[in-house]
């Protein structure tokens, strides 16, 4: 518990390990996660350290595992996660792991290469099959066209364009057209056709047909759409030009026989080869699947083992070697309370390694500030994270986290006070807490969800506290609960009637109030009163000031525990005491005036109690301002300007004491330190002047130091006056601004209530005016719309706004009174943390 309220006590230790036992001992310390090692080789390049080869081997093994993981995910095979945490393998087991991963990688790469070659062959055969099928149609059409041309001489013009006039006059012999056939991507057909027309000047004839089914690209695995084409031309020159164009458009050309019988024979051979390839491909895929399934069972454990080995060797690279090269020396920060656990872990590591020389762990003296380490559990982690986001606490400084567990959700609830909205938030938080283990096992990479889940206990407490304040405000989705019955009478009518009408002006001085208050919280009749806002303004404003000043006083009180622990008596007398006096005598006195006013003045206009009637109640704000300005309050002649006997003299005394505290905070500490230094310098001068025969030798060495120290002291004093001045101005002005800052509790509470009321009256209330079955349908739709707006605006957006304002009140108004936050976090060598960060990186 000591480390909950204050960071754990740390010590710097020197660790001596035998070389053969170092690996096992560091492995045990990694499982324990309570040791932070320091780098004893900061000037040595990472590539020149002793265990760099082992780290490289681990990197290579991790690369092979990532390749296997990628292939497993590609096939959609689930990777078995048993939740086991295997220990770090011994160094000799690295060879077996390397051999296993090498074998798996080579086998998988060979299978993939074979499969890719088979798929490429299968693609070529499939395309050839499509070419033979489609070109047969082209040739059939050509034969029918030739027959038609013999019967119709007008078709001769097409041949003139294709072959030229020389071709038609070539000795009366029948010219024979050449052709090429192939496959091209469907989207390239238009450009391909234009290029052929321009490059060949219209002397080629292109026919193309789409392949209906998509084909798989063996290199990428994507499904692509292609088309079959056949190009007719005449002469070798055009043939060369056509082939170059096909090559430029990455079209694949295939041999296509001219004779119909040869095409049929080739098609039959292609079909046979496709069937054989399908069989071989199936067997290859089955073999690949079996290899990946076997690897998927162990890949999670393999990753854990390799990462642990790598972390151990990376840590060993931080160590130093002694002269004999047989002992490793390390320096580390360890918690004092866990010193025995660390020694036990070192002993277990030594026994595992079989070494006969026990490790040595010695505590060291150091002037360096130790790291800050706060023990947390799953409940306190979220609150500690809020504090650490502002700044890591200085070593052994008071930790605000345990107090924030209560104050944070409570101040949030003051702004978010609604029983209905708080219930929704509490249900969401309770669901995350009850489903904690399965939700944590999913390890989502959604950043917003991870923030909500990490603060699940904060959400739950904020919801529960909001239900409490909503019950006190008697506010449920902008409506009230009349549980105990109202005690108001308006125009001689009972409260039951008042609750059925609108625009009622409630005035306790006019006899409307029966002097029997509602047992808990606000009377429900205020929900219908025209002066509801006026009443709630006064009530919530005063509550905000009271809570704020108590919160700040608590923060100032926390500084006393810091000063007491660090034995800083000077700060207690020169900072803590004047700060408390200033805050209590001015602002806490204003809180006392609020309570006095509540107890002294009654809701009556009876002449007997005219002094204590609400008409004579003085304004707290005006009274406080007049107290600071030393002015008298002007009121009615029948009323008393004071609330108790001797108020004016007491206020003057309090104000004078508060003013005296300002120079007290500003000058007391620097002046005291300056006087002490002068006394020390005077004592040193006296000792120097009255020294014995051996004293001059001491003087020769001490005089320059004294002179240098004197100049340094003067510089320190100047900085101290400046620092103390800034600190004093910040506290005095901050007391005013911070007090006003707590008015955000009042402002956001009213804003939330008014938004809730607007949504009820402007949305849901519209659906309650319809009758019949149509009204049910309309109400269903309007209720769904109202529920969406309520969750999105009032719960999420307003909740986030209240959360940020609460965070500011804690970081600025509360923690600035005692918390410096200038430390650095304790980052132990822990396998758990390393594996968590590695898994998050892999998911990203």
């Amino acid at each position: 518990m000591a480390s909950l309220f204050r960071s754990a006590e740390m010590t710097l230790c020197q660790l001596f390990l035998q070389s053969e036992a170092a690996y096992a001992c560091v492995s045990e310390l990694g499982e324990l996660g309570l040791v932070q090692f320091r780098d004893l080789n900061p000037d040595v390049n990472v590539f020149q350290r002793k265990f760099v080869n082992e780290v490289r081997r681990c990197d290579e093994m991790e690369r092979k595992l990532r390749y296997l993981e990628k292939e497993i995910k590609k096939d959609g095979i689930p990777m078995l996660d048993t939740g086991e945490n295997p220990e770090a393998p011994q160094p000799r087991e690295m060879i077996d792991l390397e051999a296993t991963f090498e074998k798996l990688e080579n086998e998988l790469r060979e299978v993939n290469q074979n499969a890719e070659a088979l798929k490429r062959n299968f693609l070529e055969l499939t395309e050839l099959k499509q070419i033979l099928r489609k070109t047969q149609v082209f040739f059939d059409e050509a034969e029918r066209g030739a027959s038609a041309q013999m019967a119709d001489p007008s078709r001769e013009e097409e041949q003139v364009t294709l072959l030229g006039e020389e071709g038609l006059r070539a000795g009366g012999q029948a010219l024979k057209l050449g052709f090429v056939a192939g496959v091209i991507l469907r989207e390239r057909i238009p450009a391909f056709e234009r290029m052929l027309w321009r490059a060949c000047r219209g002397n080629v004839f292109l026919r193309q047909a789409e392949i209906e089914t998509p084909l798989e690209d063996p290199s990428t695995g994507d499904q692509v759409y292609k088309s079959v084409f056949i190009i007719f031309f005449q002469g070798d020159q055009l043939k060369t030009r056509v082939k170059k164009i096909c090559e430029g458009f990455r079209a694949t050309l295939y041999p296509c026989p001219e004779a119909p019988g040869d095409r049929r024979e080739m098609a039959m051979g292609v079909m046979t080869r496709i069937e054989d390839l399908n069989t071989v491909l199936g067997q290859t895929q089955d073999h690949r699947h079996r290899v990946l399934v076997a690897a998927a069972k162990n890949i999670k454990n393999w990753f854990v083992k390799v990462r642990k080995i790598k972390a151990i060797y990376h840590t060993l690279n931080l160590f130093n070697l002694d002269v004999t090269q047989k002992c490793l020396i390390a320096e580390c920060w360890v918690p004092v309370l866990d010193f025995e656990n660390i020694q036990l872990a070192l002993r277990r590591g030594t026994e595992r390694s079989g070494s006969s020389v026990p490790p040595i762990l010695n505590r060291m003296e150091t002037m360096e500030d130790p790291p800050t380490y706060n023990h947390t559990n799953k409940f306190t982690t979220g609150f500690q994270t809020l504090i650490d986001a502002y700044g890591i606490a200085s070593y052994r400084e008071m930790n605000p986290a345990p107090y924030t567990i209560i104050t944070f959700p409570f101040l949030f609830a003051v702004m978010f006070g609604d029983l209905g909205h708080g219930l929704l938030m509490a249900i969401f938080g309770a669901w995350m807490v009850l489903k904690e283990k399965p939700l944590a096992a999913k390890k989502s990479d959604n950043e917003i969800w991870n923030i909500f889940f990490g603060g699940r206990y904060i959400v739950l407490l904020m919801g529960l506290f909001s239900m409490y304040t909503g019950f006190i405000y008697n506010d449920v989705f902008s409506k009230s609960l009349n549980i105990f019955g109202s005690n108001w009478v308006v125009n001689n009518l009972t409260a039951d009637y008042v609750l059925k009408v609108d625009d009622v002006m409630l005035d306790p001085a006019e006899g409307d109030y029966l002097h029997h208050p509602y047992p808990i919280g606000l009377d429900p009749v205020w929900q219908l009163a025209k002066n509801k806002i006026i009443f709630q303004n006064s009530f919530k404003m005063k509550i905000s000031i009271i809570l704020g000043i108590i919160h700040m006083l608590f923060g100032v009180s926390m500084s006393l525990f810091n000063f007491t622990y660090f034995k800083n008596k000077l700060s207690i007398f020169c900072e803590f005491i004047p700060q408390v006096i200033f805050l209590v005598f001015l602002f806490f006195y204003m809180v006392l005036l609020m309570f006095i006013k509540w107890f002294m003045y009654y809701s009556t206009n009876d002449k007997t109690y005219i002094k204590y009637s609400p008409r004579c109640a003085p304004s707290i704000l005006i009274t406080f301002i007049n107290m600071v300005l030393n002015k008298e309050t002007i009121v009615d002649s029948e009323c008393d300007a004071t609330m108790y006997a001797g108020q004016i003299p007491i206020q003057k005394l309090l104000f004078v004491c508060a003013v005296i505290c300002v120079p007290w905070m500003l000058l007391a500490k620097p002046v005291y330190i300056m006087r002490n230094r002068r006394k020390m310098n005077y004592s040193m001068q006296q000792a120097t002047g009255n020294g014995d025969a051996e004293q001059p030798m001491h003087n020769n060495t001490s005089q320059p130091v004294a002179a240098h120290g004197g100049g340094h002291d003067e510089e320190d004093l100047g900085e101290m006056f400046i620092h103390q001045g800034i600190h004093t101005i910040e506290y005095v002005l901050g007391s005013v601004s911070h007090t006003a800052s707590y008015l955000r509790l009042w402002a956001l509470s009213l804003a939330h209530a008014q938004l809730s009321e607007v949504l009820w009256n402007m949305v849901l209330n519209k659906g309650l005016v319809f009758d019949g079955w149509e009204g049910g349908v309309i109400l269903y739709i309007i209720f769904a719309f109202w529920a969406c707006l309520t969750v999105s605006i009032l719960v999420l957006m307003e909740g986030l706004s209240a959360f940020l304002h609460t965070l500011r009140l804690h970081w600025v108004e509360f923690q600035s009174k005692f918390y410096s936050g200038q430390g650095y976090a304790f980052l132990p060598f822990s396998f758990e943390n390393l594996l968590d960060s590695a898994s998050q990186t892999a998911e990203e």
Side-chain angles (χ1 to χ4, degrees), residues 411-412 415-416 748 797-807:
L411 292 183
F412 171 87
M415 294 181 276
F416 196 74
L748 265 74
M797 293 179 61
E798 279 285 311
L800 179 61
S801 174
F803 178 88
L804 294 176
H805 283 284
T806 309
L807 198 60

Side-chain angles (χ1 to χ4, degrees), residues 541-604:
M541 185 187 299
K542 290 182 175 64
I543 290 294
S544 301
I545 295 297
I546 292 170
L547 294 177
I549 292 175
I550 292 175
H551 198 213
M552 289 192 294
L553 267 176
F554 179 61
V556 175
S557 302
M558 295 282 286
S559 65
L560 175 63
F561 294 98
N562 281 332
F563 296 146
T564 304
Y565 177 81
F566 293 111
K567 299 178 181 178
N568 191 351
K569 294 183 179 179
L570 182 61
S571 295
I572 294 177
F573 290 103
C574 299
E575 291 183 7
F576 169 72
I577 292 178
Q579 285 178 358
V580 170
I581 292 175
F582 183 84
L583 194 61
V584 170
F585 283 16
L586 288 182
F587 297 95
F588 190 72
Y589 173 72
M590 180 172 61
V591 172
L592 293 179
L593 289 180
M594 294 178 188
F595 282 97
I596 291 173
K597 182 177 178 180
W598 283 340
F599 284 107
M600 294 294 293
Y601 295 90
Y602 308 106
S603 57
T604 179

